[in-house]
Each structure stands twice: as C-alpha cells, then as structure tokens.
Amino acid sequence: MVIDIETLEDRYIDSCRRHDVFPNSSILSSLFKAEVKKSNHELCSLEILIDDLKDADIAPLFDLCMNFDASEIEAVDVRNESSCVLNGEYALSLMRAINQKLRVVHLQDPSFGKDFLRDISQRGLACQVLTLRCSRFRKLNFMGEFMHIHTLNLDFSSSLTSFQEDCFNCMPNLMRLSMCDTRITNLWTTVAALSKLPSLIELRFQYWQYCNDAVTSFISSSDPNFNAEDPLRNFYSFDEEVINHDVQSMVEDSSDDSEVDFTSRHHKYWLSDVFPGWSSEVPRQNENEDGEESLQAAFTDSNADVSMKYMSRHASPICYEKHYREFMIASLPNLKNLDNMPIRKIDKERATGIFSQYFEYLPYKWKHKESVVSILQKREIKSVHNKVQSSKHRLSYPSGKSQYFYSRSLSAAKLGSSTWPILHPLSFVGCELDKGFHPRQFEYHPSDSSLMVFGTLDGEVVVINHETEHIVSYIPSLGAMNSVLGLCWLKKYPSKLIAGSDNGSLKLYDIYHIPRKVTGLHGNFGCVTFDEFDQLTSVHVNSMDELFLASGYSRNVALYDINSGKRLQVFTDMHRGHINVVKFANHSPSIFATSSFDHDVKMWDLRQKPIHPCFTVSSSRGNVMVCFSPDDEYILASAVDNEVRQYLAVDGRLHLVFDIAPTESSQNYTRSYYMNGRDYIISGSCDEHIRICCAQTGRRLRDISLEGRNLGSSVFVQSLRGDPFRDFNMSVLAAYMRPGSKSKIVKINLLASSDHANKDDSDDLRPCPFHSMGG
C-alpha cells in the first residue's frame, strides 16, 4: 500500500516525540509543498534544505526516509546553499538513506571538509543531478558508484585544475557536464578524461550570453524559463521559445539592465570572432544547407533588426586556448552542444579541418593508435622474413621506410597511450650538509646519458647522475653570493665544463678532480679562472672546444680561448639592447647567433670579424632564446609571449611560425628548444603549459601541465631541455613564487603514463614565476 504524504507527516511527528526533539519546521514545510505539487498533478518531489538542519534533527529524519520507497514521494532533492551546522557524516548518511529516490544534490563550498568530499568521491551517490561548488579539490577523481547521474555541475570550483585518467569511468549515463570558472587548462588531458563518458552530449566550460549594442541579457534564476532542478538546461537549451522570450524581453524592457552583475570575470568575444563566417547580425528565419535551423534563425522576424552579439562569461582558462572549440568538437564526436552553442554538421566539418591543420593526433604523422606488442610482432616477422632472403636482396628496413620507422612507431604507440606523462622532480642523494639546493640552470651531458649539471642561486655547481639521483661532483660557491646562469659542457673533453655566474665569474672545472660529496670545504679544485664578464647571463663553447662566448646585461659579447685561459676580444654594440643568450653552431666552430631584447636575432661569423652580422631577423617583442637545430639547418628564436619562429640558418629565411596564442603579458618569457633531434620543439613560458610542436609543420602534438597542491600561483619555466638520448623525454626547471619554496628540476617522460606509476610524484608540482633571465 502506498503511504500518502499526510501519513508521512504523522509518522515524522511521531518519530520526533520518540527522540524528544521538536519537528523541524523546514521539513514540515517541504512535506506541505510536496502535497500541493501532488494536488496540482506535478511531480511530487520533496526538498530537504540541510542548511536548516541540526544534528538533533537527523534521527527522526532517518525514520522518515525509511518510508520514502513505499510513499507517494517521487523524488527527493537535497540542497545546501550556505554554511550549516549539520555534521558532514550525518549529511552523507541522510543522502544515502534516501537511496533510489534521491534526484538532485546541490552542495556549496564552505560547509563541509575534505573528508566529506572524499567520501562522495570514493563511495558515490544515487542522485541524478549533482552540483558541487567547491574550492577544496584540485584533481578530480570520482571512484564510487554514480550509475544514475546524468547531470554534473562543477561550476566555480576555483581550485580544480585537472583530472585523473579514469575519474569519469563510474558515470556511464552522464549526459551533461559543466565546469565554468574552474582552472582547467589542458586540452589533451581534458579530452582524454571526457572520452570515457559514452553518453556525454552537452559540455560547458563557459557560457555565451547574447546581447546587443545597447543592452545585455542573459538567462538567470529570475527568468520564468529557468529550470532550478536541472541547472545546466538553462544554458544548453536553445529552443525557439526560450530564445524568443529573452530577445523580446530585451526589446520591450531594459529597466533591469543596471542591476546585472558584471563583477565576475567575463570577456567580450563576439560570435564572429569565435565562429568565422557567422554574422553578428540576426538574419531572417531560414534553414541551412543541412536542413538544420541555424542559431540566429531561431529569432523571429520582429526582432530581425536587433544587432545580436555574444559574450563569453565565466570562462575557464581552457577556453582561451587557440582553436579550443574545434579541438573539443573534433575530439568528442558525440557532443551535440558545447558552451551552450549547438554543434551543427558544418561545425564538425570545420573542426575536423582545423584539427588536421593545427594539431597532431600522434607523432610522426601516425593516424591511428597501435599497440606496442603489435609493432614488435611486425618487426619480428619482418626480421625473420629478411633472414630467409638471399643476402643480395635482403632489405634492412620495410620497403619505402626509413631506418627510424620502428623506433618512431614505438614512440607513437607509447605516447598515444600516455596522455598523462610521468613527472618526476629530482631529489638528490649524497648531501652531507643539512641543506637543499636551489637550481637555477641545468644542462644534460653531451655524451654520457646519465649525467646532468646544474647551477644554483647560491653559486654552487652540482653534477648528478639523474638516473640514480646521486651526486657525482659538488663545487661550492666561492666568494660573494651569486647565481649560476651559464653552463656548458665541453664535447671533446667530457669531464670538463664552463660555469658562469651573474657576478661575472667564469670558471672551467674538471669533474674528475672534484669531490663527489657535499662538504663545507672551499677550494679551487684545479679549476681555471677567466676574466670576468659583468652581469653574465649566458655562456657557450664552440664545436672544437677551443673557444667560448659570454653575453649578459650589456650590448657586448666576449670571446675566450679555453686553452690559454685568456679573453681574446670583446665585441661591442652587437645589439641595441642587452644580449640574453649567445649560441655557437653545433658543427661550425666559427658561426654563432645572438638573441636580444632589442627584438633582433643575429647570425655572426668569427672569420669575418663580427662587425656586421651575416643576417638579422626580428620579432615583435624582445627575444629570450635562440638555439641551433642539432644539424645546424635551422635556428629557433623565442620572443616574449609565445612568439616562436624557425629560420633557415644559411640565410635567415623564415621557415615556420609556431601557432601559439599570446597572453598579452610582457612578463611571459618564452623559451624553446629542440627535442628528438630536430623533429619536435618544446616551448615553455610563464603561466602556461609546456607545448610540444612538430618542427616541420608547426602542429601541436601535446601540452604538459605542471601541477601540485600549491594553488594560487603560476607556472614559470626558467629553463627546459629535451633529453638528447631519449625520445620524448625532457627536463624542466620550474620555480615557486611562495616564500621559502625551492625551484625544482622535473623530469618528464611522455612515453610512460603517470597513472601506471606513483601518482604522488607530481603532487607538489605547481611551479611559479621567478623572473631572472638566461636560457
């Protein structure tokens, strides 16, 4: 027999008497409203506002919940809209006691702590709609049962930056997801997580409000069409009735315009800017060539003279990524609506074209993912086949394929299955002093794959085995405090390196004559000291290990002879501004390049007495970096705010402009280097990801985000290098802004997934700005 609402109320009051508590007026009011809905033939739903509950109210409320399954109540909504006094464990027990009739759960931020959120994540909820507005979680990781959920709203979760790879595996029926005003930035990891949602059709990282030149209108809770039970529907619905209502209200009455709150973050991106070819003018109602009614055509003829435009509100940082919309549409083919804009057939076609033009799905132009086992089997079959052929006709490699075919195939397979790369901050073993290092610059060894040298903000030079994380040699700071900004190994004498500090100090060390352990002793250890170069930022040795150059906060470059230990010459006024980096070519001992904040990069030849450059190329902003490709065919120039260009080294002709969106920040110092020989480049800068782009096409392969527990501060890549011995491996020097923090060297392996390693490795990685120069 079905229990009616009146009987439920009687049983609730009875339970209150037994537990010696007064009936909660909010619960009685909700039961009355449910009765009214039933009499009006509406959905008989009960709303429980936990803000109005105290711990003493829970016992009789549990008793009431036990009757819900057999009652007239069809759905129960649990809401928390402000701080409350109810114990978090009681709130969780209440939601689970409601069980299958739990429909909407709406939870605000400050009320409950981490344990409450962890319990929801790990055990799940039976609700259909879940709204979590919380600043307490950084990396989303749902693991419990959420089998009934179809709508998830995480808007204004201001600390949310990323996802665990399998965080949505437990939500097979999720259709609508909103994450406006979060801190999510990475296109690749976001798509990889969302692709686990087979039912997802509506996604939002921002919403586009429509407005005209005179007034602005957006859907709000005051709108009669606003659906409080399904909050995402208000922004995803584009039916003609809702649109016409809002347009008509704009035309007829703009008296409330002054009350619209524009204090939250929003940006004026007009529709024609985001969707080229879409006019901001509202056309007469018609159908497009696919038979679909266009968005603008949803407006009636009476409003056709209103100049409609669209403005982005509450956008998460991912929305500012170049070609964001096309990337999401191409990568999530089941989506029907993105950022409350419908996805039409023409949008999908355009997205496919944009994706193929600006992005690489897999490295080396691989079109489809393939397993490592499959590639190894093909190689083994080919090897066996070659052995049975006569030596005269034997092929070393598959027909028409280079000697790198299998190694590149393996790289493509591994990278394709590793969206979340391993990020491992180096720690150092062998320190006898109770201190930590503050790295400021580092370099891989050119011939020993296990060695790396780094210089510190305290003037120390440390050689480590980065595979075992053991210190090989330690050189303490000598004299006044200084920072090591320039480091360069010699190639023919692999135990020797040049180190330069910002106080002008220049020394050559032989690591075979340096103690392996950190001690408090200060000594010269047989080093060679060169004449100082004041305010040094960069040093580099030529290919013959005969000469090296130094540059810094001046317009001059100094040339030194390594064998004699003497400074041979100072080339003056080579630029109009200070010269941040100087680099010799990798194979030509007399050719070098300079990059300056005067916007110029210049190529020089010592054989021509560098009074006039071989050529000059210019950027629109100051140049932070320049380097040669490993074969010296190209030079790569990086200017402030993501202006990265590749030139032919022979004559300075522009070869490629990398399509990296600027941030419009003059402090966004950008550094770029080659990786995998000259196949790819890596580029890192302030407040952004590390980007990996193809050096031949410019297409973006992947972005890497440095993340950690320390929020409220930005990424600043002080230095980065591709591993010269391991494809798709690199190291990044990332600094922290917060007081007392230390910069870290982070090793990144794109061919291995962090989800198959220790997931805590990257937990402390939220690097932040440290604005000193150098490469």
Side-chain angles (χ1 to χ4, degrees):
M1 181 178 177
V2 178
I3 304 171
D4 60 34
I5 295 176
E6 185 177 352
T7 303
L8 282 179
E9 183 176 347
D10 291 340
R11 291 184 181 183
Y12 172 65
I13 294 173
D14 254 2
S15 181
C16 288
R17 289 196 194 100
R18 290 197 307 272
H19 290 96
D20 196 24
V21 296
F22 287 106
N24 186 288
S25 59
S26 176
I27 299 300
L28 294 175
S29 175
S30 294
L31 288 167
F32 173 75
K33 291 177 182 177
E35 180 69 39
V36 171
K37 292 176 184 176
K38 176 177 173 287
S39 63
N40 291 334
H41 305 289
E42 299 172 6
L43 180 73
C44 186
S45 62
L46 180 74
E47 181 175 288
I48 299 175
L49 188 63
I50 59 179
D51 304 7
D52 297 335
L53 300 180
K54 302 184 294 292
D55 290 355
D57 296 320
I58 290 299
L61 192 53
F62 279 161
D63 293 342
L64 177 64
C65 292
M66 296 300 105
N67 295 280
F68 282 163
D69 285 346
S71 74
E72 294 178 326
I73 298 294
E74 296 177 80
V76 181
D77 300 340
V78 177
R79 298 186 183 277
N80 153 237
E81 297 175 351
S82 61
S83 59
C84 66
V85 296
L86 184 65
N87 183 287
E89 291 184 9
Y90 286 153
L92 286 167
S93 299
L94 173 64
M95 289 186 284
R96 296 204 165 96
I98 297 168
N99 201 16
Q100 297 302 314
K101 289 197 174 181
L102 184 64
R103 183 179 60 155
V104 175
V105 174
H106 180 99
L107 300 173
Q108 289 283 94
D109 175 27
S111 307
F112 305 109
K114 291 182 179 179
D115 291 341
F116 178 85
L117 296 170
R118 187 178 294 112
D119 190 281
I120 290 178
S121 169
Q122 294 178 350
R123 295 181 59 190
L125 286 174
C127 61
Q128 300 173 41
V129 177
L130 175 60
T131 298
L132 283 175
R133 293 186 177 179
C134 179
S135 63
R136 295 178 184 271
F137 50 79
R138 176 188 62 85
K139 196 166 190 175
L140 203 62
N141 189 22
F142 290 112
M143 296 177 287
E145 284 195 20
F146 294 89
M147 300 302 294
H148 303 287
I149 190 169
H150 60 71
T151 300
L152 176 60
N153 189 331
L154 300 171
D155 291 349
F156 310 109
S157 297
S158 56
S159 298
L160 180 60
T161 61
S162 60
F163 313 92
Q164 291 283 7
E165 185 170 0
D166 300 324
C167 72
F168 291 122
N169 282 10
C170 55
M171 299 181 181
N173 299 305
L174 187 68
M175 299 174 65
R176 305 178 185 89
L177 175 61
S178 184
M179 291 178 282
C180 297
D181 234 336
T182 63
R183 298 182 67 216
I184 293 169
T185 59
N186 193 305
L187 290 170
W188 280 263
T189 54
T190 299
V191 162
L194 297 179
S195 64
K196 307 294 179 68
L197 293 169
S199 303
L200 185 68
I201 58 173
E202 299 182 6
L203 176 65
R204 185 181 71 176
F205 287 100
Q206 63 186 330
Y207 69 86
W208 288 97
Q209 80 179 46
Y210 37 90
C211 57
N212 62 21
D213 293 333
V215 294
T216 303
S217 172
F218 58 92
I219 301 171
S220 68
S221 57
S222 62
D223 194 303
N225 292 285
F226 185 86
N227 188 320
E229 294 174 348
D230 187 354
L232 294 185
R233 182 168 177 249
N234 308 295
F235 306 104
Y236 289 127
S237 295
F238 271 84
D239 57 90
E240 186 172 341
E241 178 184 349
V242 173
I243 293 179
N244 283 340
H245 173 274
D246 282 90
V247 174
Q248 191 66 32
S249 67
M250 287 193 303
V251 174
E252 294 177 353
D253 182 11
S254 61
S255 60
D256 292 333
D257 290 335
S258 61
E259 300 299 318
V260 177
D261 178 15
F262 287 102
T263 57
S264 59
R265 183 177 65 201
H266 63 279
H267 297 269
K268 292 187 178 180
Y269 296 129
W270 301 126
L271 191 67
S272 57
D273 296 330
V274 181
F275 311 114
W278 283 32
S279 171
S280 61
E281 299 294 324
V282 180
R284 299 176 64 87
Q285 184 165 335
N286 60 356
E287 290 187 352
N288 60 32
E289 59 185 6
D290 303 313
E292 304 171 16
E293 186 178 294
S294 67
L295 180 62
Q296 297 92 331
F299 299 104
T300 62
D301 287 348
S302 61
N303 296 312
D305 59 340
V306 180
S307 177
M308 297 298 298
K309 294 184 179 181
Y310 289 74
M311 183 169 67
S312 168
R313 286 182 56 83
H314 300 297
S316 294
I318 193 172
C319 301
Y320 310 139
E321 288 293 323
K322 203 161 188 179
H323 310 300
Y324 147 77
R325 183 173 174 87
E326 291 80 12
F327 186 95
M328 301 300 288
I329 292 173
S331 303
L332 300 170
N334 293 330
L335 276 187
K336 295 182 179 178
N337 198 299
L338 177 61
D339 299 332
N340 64 291
M341 287 288 189
I343 299 171
R344 307 165 302 163
K345 182 179 179 180
I346 192 173
D347 300 326
K348 291 187 176 183
E349 292 172 352
R350 181 175 185 272
T352 300
I354 291 292
F355 187 94
S356 62
Q357 182 178 357
Y358 293 103
F359 299 97
E360 272 196 358
Y361 177 61
L362 289 171
Y364 299 113
K365 301 179 181 179
W366 254 245
K367 300 298 183 183
H368 306 285
K369 290 184 179 180
E370 192 171 359
S371 71
V372 172
V373 173
S374 173
I375 293 169
L376 292 176
Q377 286 176 339
K378 289 179 181 178
R379 186 174 67 177
E380 186 65 23
I381 292 170
K382 186 65 181 179
S383 176
V384 172
H385 178 67
N386 284 343
K387 286 179 180 178
V388 299
Q389 291 180 340
S390 66
S391 58
K392 182 183 293 186
H393 299 98
R394 186 177 303 161
L395 296 173
S396 300
Y397 307 101
S399 178
K401 297 172 183 175
S402 75
Q403 58 179 309
Y404 305 110
F405 174 77
Y406 284 118
S407 63
R408 290 177 173 179
S409 299
L410 289 170
S411 291
K414 291 178 181 179
L415 191 141
S417 62
S418 307
T419 305
W420 283 262
I422 289 180
L423 278 67
H424 177 68
L426 290 177
S427 58
F428 307 112
V429 181
C431 297
E432 293 183 353
L433 297 180
D434 185 17
K435 63 171 293 182
F437 294 114
H438 300 76
R440 177 53 191 90
Q441 187 58 279
F442 75 95
E443 293 286 350
Y444 284 102
H445 195 281
S447 58
D448 188 330
S449 63
S450 67
L451 293 186
M452 174 190 291
V453 62
F454 68 86
T456 73
L457 294 171
D458 301 316
E460 303 150 306
V461 176
V462 185
V463 179
I464 61 166
N465 183 319
H466 62 87
E467 295 173 352
T468 63
E469 301 186 18
H470 281 77
I471 292 178
V472 175
S473 301
Y474 171 76
I475 305 164
S477 177
L478 303 176
M481 289 296 292
N482 60 90
S483 298
V484 177
L485 299 181
L487 289 167
C488 190
W489 291 95
L490 275 62
K491 302 173 186 65
K492 293 186 174 182
Y493 305 96
S495 66
K496 296 181 179 181
L497 61 94
I498 301 283
S501 302
D502 59 2
N503 66 355
S505 170
L506 276 165
K507 296 181 182 295
L508 181 145
Y509 297 104
D510 189 331
I511 62 173
Y512 290 162
H513 297 92
I514 300 171
R516 291 179 177 270
K517 295 184 178 181
V518 177
T519 68
L521 300 176
H522 286 222
N524 287 328
F525 307 117
C527 71
V528 177
T529 301
F530 299 89
D531 291 345
E532 292 184 357
F533 187 92
D534 196 30
Q535 295 184 298
L536 179 145
T537 59
S538 173
V539 298
H540 202 244
V541 179
N542 76 348
S543 60
M544 302 298 291
D545 289 349
E546 299 168 341
L547 306 170
F548 76 88
L549 294 165
S551 68
Y553 284 99
S554 73
R555 295 179 296 178
N556 307 330
V557 170
L559 178 67
Y560 294 83
D561 183 274
I562 294 177
N563 294 323
S564 67
K566 294 180 179 180
R567 183 166 62 197
L568 300 179
Q569 193 171 353
V570 176
F571 307 115
T572 60
D573 296 324
M574 302 188 82
H575 282 266
R576 292 169 287 115
H578 79 261
I579 301 168
N580 191 48
V581 168
V582 59
K583 292 285 186 182
F584 269 114
N586 294 302
H587 304 285
S588 301
S590 62
I591 301 294
F592 68 97
T594 53
S595 66
S596 169
F597 278 83
D598 66 1
H599 299 199
D600 289 341
V601 169
K602 297 183 179 183
M603 185 77 81
W604 308 87
D605 189 339
L606 290 175
R607 294 168 297 185
Q608 298 177 359
K609 296 185 179 180
I611 301 173
H612 301 290
C614 303
F615 62 80
T616 300
V617 294
S618 298
S619 305
S620 64
R621 296 198 179 194
N623 289 295
V624 182
M625 264 300 306
V626 67
C627 65
F628 287 82
S629 63
D631 60 2
D632 287 343
E633 185 169 347
Y634 302 105
I635 59 170
L636 186 66
S638 310
V640 171
D641 203 20
N642 295 331
E643 188 177 339
V644 183
R645 301 184 180 203
Q646 185 169 253
Y647 301 92
L648 292 175
V650 66
D651 56 10
R653 278 179 294 162
L654 179 64
H655 175 257
L656 192 60
V657 177
F658 292 90
D659 187 45
I660 305 175
T663 65
E664 309 303 332
S665 169
S666 62
Q667 304 299 308
N668 192 31
Y669 299 115
T670 303
R671 296 166 170 86
S672 306
Y673 279 87
Y674 287 95
M675 181 179 69
N676 295 18
R678 69 169 201 192
D679 294 342
Y680 288 87
I681 69 139
I682 51 177
S683 182
S685 54
C686 179
D687 291 329
E688 295 188 287
H689 320 291
I690 299 161
R691 292 179 171 88
I692 304 171
C693 301
C694 176
Q696 296 306 307
T697 65
R699 291 196 288 261
R700 278 166 68 186
L701 173 66
R702 191 66 57 88
D703 287 355
I704 303 169
S705 301
L706 300 179
E707 302 167 352
R709 291 192 180 99
N710 306 289
L711 301 174
S713 51
S714 307
V715 173
F716 187 80
V717 176
Q718 286 188 295
S719 194
L720 74 169
R721 301 288 189 275
D723 189 321
F725 302 97
R726 301 166 182 86
D727 283 353
F728 293 109
N729 278 252
M730 70 183 81
S731 290
V732 176
L733 176 59
Y736 291 79
M737 178 68 83
R738 69 186 190 279
S741 65
K742 298 173 182 176
S743 53
K744 289 188 175 182
I745 298 173
V746 183
K747 293 178 63 176
I748 300 174
N749 182 358
L750 282 88
L751 302 184
S753 174
S754 61
D755 272 27
H756 302 130
N758 183 356
K759 292 183 180 179
D760 293 330
D761 276 352
S762 63
D763 226 16
D764 289 330
L765 298 178
R766 174 62 61 179
C768 314
F770 190 93
H771 290 195
S772 55
M773 288 290 94

